[in-house]
Each structure stands twice: as C-alpha cells, then as structure tokens.
Amino acid sequence: MGDVNSGESKAGLKRKRCEAWGDSPNPHDRKREDKWPVGLKNVGNTCWFSAVIQSLFQLPEFRRLVLNYKVPENPQENCRSQTELRNLAFMQELRCLFALMVASERKYVDPSRAVELLKAAFRSSEAQQDVSEFTHKLLDWLEDAFQLAASTKNLHKKSQNPMVELFYGTFLAEGIHDGKMFSNIETFGQYPLQVNGFNDLHECLEGAMVVGEIETLYSDQSVRSGQENWFTKLPPVLTFELSRFEFNQSLGRPEKIHKKLEFPCIIYMDRYLHKNKELTRSRREEVKKLKEQSTILQQRLERYMNYGSGPNRFPLADMLQYVLEFASTKPSSVPPTEDPTIAQPPKPHPDANVTSPMYISLSGLTTAELPETASPTSMSQLQRATLHKPFTQTKPPMEMPAHPAPRHITVEELSFLESCLQRWRAEVELDIVDLKNRIAQIKHSIEQIYTDRLMCQVPYQLHAVLVHEGQASAGHYWAYIYDHTKNIWLKYNDVSVSMSSWEELQRDSYGGSRNASAYCLMYINDNLPELIAEDTDVETGQILRSIHALPPELVEYVCKDNRHFMQELEEWNDEQARKIPQKELVPLVQVQEPAHNAPEEQTLSSQQSTCSASAKHAVMVKDQTAQAIEKAANSYENVGAEAALKEPEKVQETKEAKEKLEPEQEHELESGAVSEQEQKFESIGTQISEVDIPTVGKVQVRHDADGYNEEEMLSPAMQGIILAIAKSRQVYDREGAEAGLIKAFHEEYSRLFDLAKDQPTPQSDPRLQHVLVYFFQNKASKRVIERTLLEQFADKNLSYDERSISIMKVAQTKLKLIGPSDMDMQEYKEWHEDYSLFRKVSVYLLTGLECFQNGKCRESLTYLVHAHHSNMKLLKNGKNWGVDESLIAYYRRKCLLELNSHAAHLFESGNESDVAEGLNIMNDLVIPCMHLIVTNEHSKEDLAAVELMRNHWCSYLGEDMDSHLQEKLTEFLPRLLDCSVEVRILREPPKIRPNSPHDLCNRFAAVMESIHSTSPVSVK
C-alpha cells in the first residue's frame, strides 16, 4: 500500500468524489420503512466514509464497543493534547451517529459532524479519501480513544485495547538478506495484497507470504535474499487491502488495475499460520511438483495443438484429417495432355453484332490461376468445356474438383494411406484426451491439497466488500455487507440500502469487465459467533432491538431527533392538506361553471352531488377527437344507431348517397328539421345556438341553466353516450325516461365491454378510447364501472334535446341517491387517478417519440424519463395498467447515447463555450437519467449503455489535453461515475394542458406508424 500511496502523492492527484445532493422536500420520501437499515447522507466527497462506517456498524461486536464507550470524566484534564481531545470528540460523534443508525425514524441520517472532524486530518476537504487511508486513520483514532479511557482506569497495556484486539494481528517475517538470517514480529491492521499477476485471493496470499525462492529458506543452498511471512495471530476481523492502483512512471499519474480477481465466501487461513509452517511447506512442495508436472504436460499438449515448424501452426489431428481428405478426393477428369493453357479467346464471327453468350470471359482470372503454357486451341476447348446451357441440357457436364486432388493414386495406395492416417489421427486424438485428463487431475489435486481436516480449522467468513467504481483519478465507493440475521447480501450506497445477491456482488467486485471492482475485503472469524451476536437483555436473555439496544444517555438523543422528524412530517401533511382543496377546486369550477351565471348555491350543490368525479373525468377526456363524434352523430341521423357503430366505410357510403340529392331537396330537408327543432325549443323557453364543428358544419344545440361545454360534447366518450341514447329512443317513447336510461346504459356498457376484449396493436390501444376500457381490462370493481358510466349519462352537456335532457336528469337523481355506504369513494378516486396517470404517461411517451423523430433529443429525453417514472408506478399493479416499458426504455437509451456523443464532441472541441454546453448537457440531462437507471433498474441493455457512456469519458484520462480541460474533466467525472441514489429532482417537461384538443388515438397511430416506417411524425 505504501508504494501506491507514494505514487499517488507524486502525481498530486486524489480520487475525486461527487458533490453532495439535496434532500427531497417531501419528508415521507426520507422516512424509514420496516426497520430497514439506515443509510448515510453524502455530505460532499464522503462516499468513502459511508462505505467504511456501514461495514463496521453492521458488525455487532464493533457497534457494541462504540455505543457502550464510556467517556472519561473531565476530558479537558485527562487529555494531554489537542489530538486526544479531537479523538475523544470524534468518538462522541460516532456514538451519536451509531445511535441514529440503530433507532432513527429517518431513511438516512446526516454524518456531517463526524465528517467535519475527520476532514481536518487530511490534506484537502475536497479530496476523495482512499478507503484504506481513511480506515487506518479511523482505527487509530478509535484506538487512542479507548486507550485514553483505559488509562483513566490504570490499564496501560495496549493489548487490552478492544480496537487492537478486534482488528490487529501479527505475523512473523523470516528469511535471508545478504546471506544473513533474520526473523521479525510485525503488527498489521489491513493486510495489503497485490492484484497484478494473480487470479484469486489464495494466489494473492501465497504471493504475499513468500518472497524469493522458498526452497532456499530451509535447505542447504544459499542466496542473497528471500523471505516468508507467517501469521502468528489473526485478528477476529481480518481485512485485506487489494492494491488496485499503481503509479505509471511514463504518464506521471496513478492508474487503476481492472484485472479480474476472485475471492470466496469462506476462506480457510490454516495454511498461512506459523503453527502450520512445516505442514504448509510440505504441501507447497507437493503443489510445486504438481505444477511442474502440469507445465510439462501443457507443453506437450501445446505441441499437439500447434503443430509445424513454420510461422503458421495448426492442430496435428486436423492436419492428418486434411491429408486424408486430399488423398480421398477423386482425381481430375481432364487428362493431363488436355490441361488448359494461356491463349487469347477466339474472335467472334465477323458478321456477329454482339458477343456470343456461348463464350465465357476469363478476364477475371489471374495468371497465377492459369497454367504456365497455353494455346488458342486448348483455351477454346476450355471455354466450351465449361459451358452449361440450363435450358437445353438435362444435367451439367463434369466440372473440375472443388478442392485440390491427386492426379494419380491407385486403390492400393489410397487404402494403405487411409489406414495409416486414420490410425495416426486416432492415436493423436487419444494422446490429446489423455493429456487434458491428466492436466485436469493435477489441477483438482492442487485444489484439494488444502481441503483436508488439518487445513480447515480456521474459517473466515466474508462480511463486507468495499467496491470502487471509476478510474484512479475519479470514482465512487459503496459496500456490500452480509446480513447475518437474515442471511442476505445488502448493498449500502450512501443513502440507499437495497437487497442484493452474491451474483450482483461478483459482477461488481471481481473486476475485469467493468470499471467497478473490490478494493477492500473484510472477513470475520467464523469460530467467534459473538462477533455477530445481537444484544440481549441480561435478565431475560431476549434480543434487544432498535432503541432498546442503546445506552440510556443515547436514548434521549435519538428520541429528540425522532420527535423533530415526526413534527416535520406533520407540518408537511398539514401543508399538503391545505393545498389539496385548492387544487381540486380550480378545475372543478372551470368544468362546472354554467354558461349563464347561476346562483352560488346551485353551483356548490352540483359540485357536492357528483363528488367532483365527473368533473375530473371531463377533464381527462377533453383532448379526444371531434370529427369522429360528429361523423357518428350524422351517421345516426342518416342510417340509424346500428349502422353508426359499424365500419366507417359503410357510413361514408351513406354520406355520399346523401350528397347525391338535389341541392334544393337537401336545403328543404335541413330547413324543415331546423324549423321543427327551433319551435320545440322555443316552446319551453330555451335559448338556441349554433355550434360550428370543423369539417362537419353547424349543429343546433340548446343552452340551459346547466351550461354547455362544446369541447366535452365532441369527445369520443360522449359519442358512445349519444349513440346509446339514440338506440333507446323506442324504449324512451314507450316507457319513459328511466327505462330509456336503463336501455341506453345497457347498450353502452355492452359496447365498452366488447371493446375491452380487443388486444392492443402496434397502431392502436383501446384503452385510450375510453376510461371504462381501461377499467374492464384491469378488473375494476363493478360499482366503480357502473358509477363511472352513470356519471357520463348525468353529464350536463347532454342537454341537446328533450330525450337526452330527461335521461340526464334521471341519471343525476340516481347519482344523488348513492350514499357513502353504497360506494367506496376512495377506491373510486384511486381508479380515476390511475387512468389519469395512464393518459399522462401516454401523452409524455408520444410527445417524447415525436421529439425524437424530429431530432430534438433533449426534449425527448425529458418526456421519456418522466413517462418511464410514472409508468413504473402503474406497472407495479399489473401489465395492463401502463404502457410497454421496453418501448420507453429503448428510445430513452437512444436519446442518452445520442446526447452523450454530442456532449463528448463538444468537449473534444476545446472551445470554452462548447465545453460548457457539453458539460451542461451531461449534468442536467444525461447524468440524472443514468443514476436513475443504475439505481432502479437491472436491464442488461440499460447497464451496458451506462457503462459505454462512462467508458467514453474515462478514455480521456489517458489522453494528453489542455490543463483547463483536464481540470474540467477531473471535476466532472465523479458525478458521472457516482451511482449514489440521493434524490435527484429532474426538470419537469413542458406542461401539456389536460383539455388540449389533441386526439390521443390518432396521435398514437401516427407515432407508431412513424416508428415502424422511420419517417418523421406528422400529426394534424
């Protein structure tokens, strides 16, 4: 480790960390759930602190030592220096921090006070500290604090210091130096291991234990130097520091070693103990001999697999097979005397106007492919011999062999050669199998040589793995820690604590394939169960959990902090409660405001009776198409309700037939209809207005005290209601308004139920057409569906004729009769909120895809990220609750890669304004999205894209660039490489009005067609 640190000091570089990120304004996002482990907030270049502290805190024995530490009385008198005072103050802050991590109600806590004390000990508060460097200093401070406490009790022996007992061990270094024997006992805390040149942890330890020629240490031979290290005392907590950074002398800076290094969950340390020295030496001799045998066998196998004396070599078995195939190939059918020779092709007949297709051009052949001698006659014969006329010949003539073949070989020769080659090839293959088997046996023997009972007495279990991601000059730390109670791996990444697995740990820790790799391994003695034993009550023996495990002086400290947090939650809830009525009232008034000023009591009564659900639904459906409704309404007037629900082509035919009427006749019909309608409206004292519907014309509607919303009238949802009322006309005329409502209700219910059975296609999604299609597909309760449909029949916009008005009023009366005991309004509200969110996701997705198709990746990414975030909430309930997540993820990746490439291009230009713009793109758009992907998702494609983008920027570290650019890159890379999941507030996309007249169905079809045809989106 010393070489690495000195190298880094020479370079004047320290691995940088990302800046601290802000808390979410909503305290509920920061509330601890189900006593899940507490995270640590990153307060600025402190991921190293979080990783180490969590690894130690999750070790119950260490946690007990810190929490139960007795602060010496009169510290000002007992402390002999400011250093001791600082160490004592740090111990106090660490106790408070541990107490919060035990019993806080917060999801994560702030370690600022403890960190501030540590920062003064390092060169710069902005430098990211090396994990091993910080751990050394932390243990030193804790050791001094415990020593100070012990000194007040006249316990002067350092061996009784609990920090020393827990983390420090000793080893014996013995060997020969300049022909002289030496033997020294040395103390270690973190044992350094080199990574380069080794494949697994045992190989690293063997390399660290033996330096030089091992046989010279205990034989009669003598050499200048050689050394062996033997552990004389292993600490209960054994920490290996993996040296993954080395100084590059030519470049003048440190570089990270990304080599793969495997390590086990359980490692047996018996072979490295001094008490087993003789046994281990004999085993090492056996291993050495076995490896020598394996090397000889590998060399023999190599001769078989790479046979030959020239520069190009091939497997011997394959070469014998090739010779056999050559000998077995049939000889050429062309006699030697008729071998083709070089000559000019025959001239065509002088009367011929075109070149005859009977002649085959040989211009494409090189001279190397033709014989050395040739004549015009033989060339002509060759041309004619190779001609094949597919329409006049039943089968082609005999051709030259596809592969080289012997000219002459007798049956006896071939038989003899085949028997020899086949026998030799079988012998070679047998030798190769035998060599591979013997090599495998030797490898197995080496693996098993330390697995007997004598060498499996001292097991150490892997407790924590500290991971570094990034390069030597920039990166991020997190920790994988084993939960010994639940027997699972957890990932501690600053504020985030998430469930993990051994497979994920291997992927992130072994190295070799990513920028992430293990930097520190913490093992604990598996023969000491007290290390991981939870606190128990002295009298009852029951396990103490949460705040009950704390000393009395820390209980009040934690309770006070929890009270403050609970107060923050209450204040937030009160503030939101004050905001909610205002938010709901504004759209409610906008939708239900009468066309003519109505009394205030009437408006409030209308709001209360509908419980605002119909108003919300009206807002949701306002952005649907207008043309489809009016066409259907016209179709009903022309050919009836049944035909209006059929294919649009049939309706169009009826419309064309109507257009064939004489203009005078058509005018008379329209005038008569209008006059009759005017007379009816005037008879009841109602004002008549004309509504101009685009592409359809003017339609007569009436306005009453309830008001009239033209845009609502044009929605597809109202189209179905209008047609259902039209189909109930006969029942209405015969039995009255209530029977008409029942009939219309049944018709519309059946139509939507059938529509919900349709499967989405690449160009259409039935759920966008109507809220009840969404409810049917997601198994909403019958009461929710029926009330939603009833509210549509009670919509005030149905006041366009007497029949619709009567049915509307009956529906409104039935709504008022539904009491709290008949309907769970909370459930009803949640269903409509989900559909509203579904429509929002659809709008964001379509807008994002439209932006992408038109080359606006920045805008597209913003929409797609928010679409994905909201969509994930829906998909937790079921597949049909949201949209296809793979579609969003695919185009989000494309936007990310495009923006990353563009930002890198701007950075490479070196222009100050371009560099600033490129980094702004990364900081404002790309990096927040990357962090969300790494934190919340496990898609291989997404993770590969993130890794690709990071590698692109990390590749600049090895290039020569302007010092100003180098400084910018050094400041930027920590944010790029940091996977911490502090809450990131992404920029909201531009607001899309809920009542915009966009037709979602048409937009959906246009965008999906555009995606498949890769043409720009164009929606009218």
Side-chain angles (χ1 to χ4, degrees):
M1 174 191 159
D3 296 338
V4 177
N5 289 341
S6 63
E8 293 177 1
S9 300
K10 291 177 183 178
L13 293 175
K14 269 295 180 183
R15 288 180 287 284
K16 297 288 183 94
R17 247 285 307 175
C18 70
E19 300 175 357
W21 293 343
D23 296 326
S24 168
N26 185 351
H28 290 280
D29 294 335
R30 295 180 269 117
K31 191 175 187 302
R32 185 178 182 182
E33 297 181 2
D34 300 328
K35 301 305 177 183
W36 193 249
V38 174
L40 290 176
K41 181 180 179 181
N42 190 319
V43 293
N45 302 324
T46 58
C47 60
W48 45 273
F49 180 89
S50 300
V52 174
I53 290 297
Q54 289 283 20
S55 301
L56 296 174
F57 172 81
Q58 298 302 329
L59 196 59
E61 179 64 18
F62 179 83
R63 185 168 67 239
R64 278 190 293 270
L65 287 173
V66 172
L67 291 174
N68 295 320
Y69 177 80
K70 301 297 183 182
V71 180
E73 298 179 358
N74 303 320
Q76 296 291 342
E77 299 177 1
N78 293 324
C79 293
R80 295 165 293 183
S81 65
Q82 289 297 321
T83 300
E84 290 185 349
L85 279 173
R86 178 204 61 194
N87 295 346
L88 200 58
F90 176 77
M91 190 66 183
Q92 274 289 70
E93 293 299 336
L94 190 62
R95 293 183 72 230
C96 293
L97 180 62
F98 273 27
L100 291 175
M101 294 170 70
V102 168
S104 176
E105 293 294 333
R106 303 176 189 267
K107 180 181 179 182
Y108 56 89
V109 294
D110 190 334
S112 297
R113 297 174 66 176
V115 170
E116 287 301 319
L117 291 171
L118 277 170
K119 281 188 175 181
F122 297 103
R123 289 190 298 272
S124 169
S125 63
E126 297 302 320
Q128 174 185 312
Q129 305 308 323
D130 185 278
V131 161
S132 58
E133 181 182 357
F134 164 65
T135 307
H136 279 305
K137 194 167 295 291
L138 172 67
L139 294 181
D140 285 345
W141 287 16
L142 296 181
E143 178 187 346
D144 290 343
F146 276 98
Q147 190 64 35
L148 180 63
S151 298
T152 60
K153 299 178 181 180
N154 297 321
L155 299 176
H156 300 288
K157 293 184 179 181
K158 189 175 182 179
S159 59
Q160 295 181 353
N161 190 308
M163 289 294 108
V164 175
E165 293 294 321
L166 192 59
F167 293 102
Y168 288 90
T170 58
F171 68 90
L172 172 67
E174 60 180 8
I176 303 174
H177 182 68
D178 292 334
K180 296 181 180 180
M181 298 290 294
F182 67 87
S183 178
N184 299 317
I185 296 289
E186 299 184 23
T187 302
F188 71 92
Q190 293 174 273
Y191 202 84
L193 296 175
Q194 295 297 323
V195 173
N196 261 349
F198 305 107
N199 298 314
D200 58 49
L201 186 59
H202 275 300
E203 289 186 10
C204 292
L205 281 166
E206 289 285 352
M209 292 289 125
V210 180
V211 181
E213 295 294 331
I214 184 172
E215 64 269 12
T216 61
L217 302 180
Y218 48 88
S219 65
D220 296 336
Q221 303 177 15
S222 62
V223 293
R224 293 180 59 84
S225 62
Q227 178 178 324
E228 284 182 338
N229 297 327
W230 300 96
F231 291 119
T232 53
K233 176 189 175 185
L234 288 173
V237 181
L238 178 59
T239 306
F240 295 117
E241 171 200 321
L242 304 181
S243 300
R244 283 198 172 271
F245 296 94
E246 60 183 4
F247 189 79
N248 189 318
Q249 296 290 346
S250 60
L251 297 177
R253 61 169 176 255
E255 289 185 337
K256 184 176 180 180
I257 303 170
H258 292 289
K259 186 182 185 304
K260 182 178 181 179
L261 184 77
E262 298 181 358
F263 47 85
C265 286
I266 297 288
I267 184 170
Y268 292 92
M269 298 297 296
D270 304 76
R271 68 177 92 170
Y272 310 111
L273 297 179
H274 182 262
K275 66 178 183 180
N276 295 328
K277 180 173 67 172
E278 297 303 324
L279 181 59
T280 301
R281 281 178 172 174
S282 63
R283 298 288 176 89
R284 285 176 178 169
E285 275 296 302
E286 293 180 31
V287 170
K288 181 180 178 182
K289 293 178 181 179
L290 289 172
K291 287 185 175 180
E292 289 175 350
Q293 294 178 20
S294 179
T295 300
I296 295 173
L297 295 176
Q298 285 284 3
Q299 292 173 351
R300 292 179 182 175
L301 180 62
E302 184 69 16
R303 296 191 188 103
Y304 280 101
M305 303 308 295
N306 293 281
Y307 187 82
S309 57
N312 297 324
R313 304 190 178 196
F314 306 93
L316 178 56
D318 292 347
M319 294 180 68
L320 294 173
Q321 178 64 27
Y322 297 154
V323 174
L324 179 59
E325 291 175 359
F326 172 78
S328 303
T329 303
K330 293 183 180 180
S332 171
S333 60
V334 180
T337 57
E338 296 182 5
D339 283 349
T341 54
I342 297 176
Q344 295 295 327
K347 296 181 180 180
H349 194 277
D351 296 334
N353 294 324
V354 294
T355 302
S356 171
M358 299 287 288
Y359 291 94
I360 300 175
S361 173
L362 299 180
S363 60
L365 296 177
T366 62
T367 56
E369 293 172 324
L370 297 175
E372 295 180 358
T373 61
S375 65
T377 303
S378 60
M379 179 63 73
S380 177
Q381 291 173 347
L382 173 62
Q383 291 170 339
R384 287 172 171 78
T386 57
L387 179 65
H388 172 51
K389 295 181 271 187
F391 297 105
T392 59
Q393 293 181 198
T394 57
K395 58 182 179 179
M398 182 178 298
E399 298 179 351
M400 294 291 291
H403 301 284
R407 293 185 179 180
H408 298 286
I409 185 169
T410 65
V411 176
E412 292 79 7
E413 290 173 338
L414 179 60
S415 176
F416 176 74
L417 190 58
E418 283 181 343
S419 64
C420 291
L421 291 172
Q422 290 174 352
R423 184 178 72 252
W424 295 339
R425 184 171 184 271
E427 292 172 353
V428 168
E429 290 179 341
L430 187 62
D431 289 344
I432 291 174
V433 171
D434 184 51
L435 285 170
K436 289 182 177 179
N437 289 337
R438 291 175 64 188
I439 292 172
Q441 290 174 0
I442 291 175
K443 181 181 179 181
H444 179 72
S445 299
I446 293 175
E447 292 174 350
Q448 297 296 314
I449 204 163
Y450 291 107
T451 59
D452 61 283
R453 187 178 59 84
L454 294 176
M455 286 295 183
C456 295
Q457 298 297 311
V458 188
Y460 271 74
Q461 181 182 359
L462 185 62
H463 166 69
V465 180
L466 278 62
V467 179
H468 177 270
E469 180 180 32
Q471 301 293 335
S473 57
H476 173 61
Y477 288 105
W478 69 86
Y480 289 102
I481 305 174
Y482 192 72
D483 189 311
H484 301 277
T485 302
K486 300 177 181 177
N487 295 323
I488 57 173
W489 283 99
L490 298 177
K491 182 178 181 179
Y492 291 79
N493 193 349
D494 286 341
V495 301
S496 170
V497 181
S498 57
M499 190 177 298
S500 185
S501 64
W502 176 248
E503 290 71 26
E504 181 185 0
L505 184 153
Q506 289 175 307
R507 184 195 68 194
D508 286 349
S509 306
Y510 278 1
S513 59
R514 306 180 62 203
N515 283 327
S517 54
Y519 191 64
C520 187
L521 305 177
M522 188 178 293
Y523 284 87
I524 58 175
N525 193 326
D526 207 30
N527 291 331
L528 301 175
E530 61 270 19
L531 291 175
I532 57 176
E534 296 293 339
D535 295 322
T536 56
D537 185 89
V538 178
E539 297 179 357
T540 64
Q542 294 182 345
I543 296 178
L544 298 175
R545 301 189 184 278
S546 188
I547 202 167
H548 303 292
L550 298 179
E553 65 271 19
L554 292 176
V555 171
E556 179 56 32
Y557 173 79
V558 175
C559 289
K560 182 179 179 181
D561 184 77
N562 285 339
R563 286 195 296 270
H564 288 164
F565 185 62
M566 291 298 108
Q567 182 179 355
E568 185 180 355
L569 287 171
E570 292 176 3
E571 292 174 354
W572 171 268
N573 293 339
D574 293 341
E575 182 181 357
Q576 298 308 306
R578 290 192 298 270
K579 290 180 179 179
I580 289 175
Q582 298 175 2
K583 289 182 178 179
E584 291 186 351
L585 185 59
V586 173
L588 189 61
V589 173
Q590 291 175 351
V591 174
Q592 296 190 346
E593 183 181 359
H596 303 288
N597 293 332
E600 182 178 356
E601 294 80 1
Q602 182 179 354
T603 305
L604 292 175
S605 175
S606 176
Q607 293 172 2
Q608 295 170 359
S609 64
T610 59
C611 299
S612 80
S614 63
K616 290 182 179 179
H617 180 65
V619 173
M620 288 191 287
V621 298
K622 281 186 176 187
D623 56 337
Q624 307 253 341
T625 177
Q627 299 179 14
I629 302 163
E630 288 306 322
K631 287 179 180 178
N634 289 341
S635 299
Y636 166 74
E637 295 294 336
N638 296 328
V639 295
E642 293 290 348
L645 293 173
K646 294 183 179 178
E647 296 295 328
E649 290 78 3
K650 297 181 181 180
V651 177
Q652 183 66 23
E653 293 175 3
T654 307
K655 183 178 179 181
E656 292 174 356
K658 179 181 178 182
E659 291 173 352
K660 293 180 181 179
L661 292 172
E662 294 296 333
E664 294 80 2
Q665 295 175 341
E666 185 176 352
H667 178 72
E668 290 176 2
L669 289 174
E670 292 178 353
S671 299
V674 171
S675 299
E676 182 180 351
Q677 192 175 24
E678 288 178 354
Q679 293 175 3
K680 181 180 289 188
F681 285 166
E682 289 174 357
S683 65
I684 58 174
T686 304
Q687 181 182 353
I688 303 170
S689 297
E690 285 186 338
V691 178
D692 189 8
I693 301 177
T695 74
V696 176
K698 295 182 178 180
V699 178
Q700 297 287 334
V701 298
R702 59 169 289 185
H703 291 233
D704 58 14
D706 288 333
Y708 172 76
N709 186 308
E710 175 184 339
E711 190 174 8
E712 176 70 11
M713 196 67 176
L714 304 180
S715 67
M718 293 304 297
Q719 173 193 5
I721 299 297
I722 292 170
L723 294 177
I725 292 176
K727 294 180 71 173
S728 69
R729 180 175 57 184
Q730 294 181 358
V731 175
Y732 171 85
D733 294 340
R734 186 174 62 250
E735 302 180 29
E738 184 167 356
L741 171 63
I742 295 173
K743 172 65 176 177
F745 189 97
H746 174 75
E747 293 291 342
E748 182 65 356
Y749 188 98
S750 300
R751 184 182 74 86
L752 294 174
F753 183 78
D754 292 337
L755 183 61
K757 296 179 180 178
D758 294 345
Q759 293 298 323
T761 67
Q763 281 75 34
S764 68
D765 189 341
R767 295 173 298 175
L768 294 175
Q769 299 182 28
H770 202 286
V771 61
L772 289 187
V773 174
Y774 184 85
F775 287 179
F776 277 126
Q777 290 191 357
N778 292 298
K779 309 294 190 242
S781 67
K782 188 175 181 181
R783 290 184 178 273
V784 170
I785 293 174
E786 290 177 349
R787 181 185 177 93
T788 301
L789 187 55
L790 185 62
E791 285 187 338
Q792 294 185 5
F793 279 98
D795 196 293
K796 59 181 173 43
N797 291 288
L798 290 175
S799 56
Y800 62 90
D801 63 13
E802 287 303 314
R803 183 170 65 253
S804 63
I805 293 173
S806 300
I807 290 178
M808 173 190 69
K809 291 184 176 180
V810 173
Q812 290 176 347
T813 302
K814 288 186 175 294
L815 275 177
K816 294 178 181 179
L817 295 177
I818 300 178
S821 60
D822 302 320
M823 184 73 201
D824 185 350
M825 291 306 298
Q826 181 62 31
E827 177 192 9
Y828 181 86
K829 178 182 177 182
E830 290 173 356
W831 274 101
H832 281 272
E833 287 176 347
D834 287 340
Y835 184 67
S836 179
L837 185 59
F838 167 74
R839 287 172 55 85
K840 178 181 177 181
V841 169
S842 300
V843 171
Y844 278 175
L845 170 60
L846 296 178
T847 308
L849 294 178
E850 289 168 353
C851 292
F852 179 81
Q853 288 277 302
N854 290 284
K856 300 178 181 179
C857 287
R858 300 189 195 189
E859 295 85 349
S860 176
L861 181 63
T862 304
Y863 281 111
L864 292 176
V865 167
H866 281 271
H868 188 274
H869 179 70
S870 299
N871 193 50
M872 293 305 294
K873 296 179 181 177
L874 293 172
L875 291 179
K876 290 179 180 179
N877 298 321
K879 179 181 178 181
N880 290 329
W881 290 67
V883 302
D884 182 8
E885 62 177 324
S886 63
L887 180 65
I888 304 178
Y890 175 76
Y891 281 94
R892 184 184 58 182
R893 281 197 304 273
K894 296 194 72 171
C895 287
L896 273 175
L897 293 172
E898 182 68 29
L899 288 173
N900 184 76
S901 177
H902 179 57
H905 178 73
L906 292 173
F907 181 83
E908 292 170 2
S909 70
N911 182 280
E912 185 173 353
S913 60
D914 289 344
V915 170
E917 182 183 357
L919 294 180
N920 285 338
I921 291 174
M922 296 299 295
N923 290 328
D924 296 340
L925 292 172
V926 178
I927 290 179
C929 187
M930 287 173 59
H931 289 171
L932 287 175
I933 290 176
V934 173
T935 303
N936 301 321
E937 299 170 35
H938 303 285
S939 164
K940 292 182 180 179
E941 294 80 5
D942 283 338
L943 293 177
V946 170
E947 197 67 20
L948 181 66
M949 290 184 284
R950 286 175 171 170
N951 290 339
H952 191 154
W953 288 92
C954 287
S955 66
Y956 294 139
L957 292 171
E959 299 180 4
D960 294 329
M961 63 177 64
D962 182 76
S963 59
H964 176 68
L965 281 183
Q966 182 69 46
E967 182 181 354
K968 292 283 187 183
L969 183 65
T970 305
E971 293 175 354
F972 161 72
L973 276 179
R975 295 194 66 198
L976 180 73
L977 297 173
D978 188 355
C979 300
S980 180
V981 290
E982 290 274 7
V983 178
R984 299 288 292 179
I985 307 300
L986 290 171
R987 185 179 62 186
E988 285 286 342
K991 297 297 182 182
I992 300 177
R993 294 189 308 114
N995 58 344
S996 67
H998 290 263
D999 175 12
L1000 270 183
C1001 298
N1002 286 347
R1003 286 186 67 194
F1004 184 87
V1007 171
M1008 294 301 109
E1009 183 178 355
S1010 164
I1011 288 175
H1012 289 89
S1013 63
T1014 66
S1015 61
V1017 178
S1018 178
V1019 181
K1020 293 183 180 180

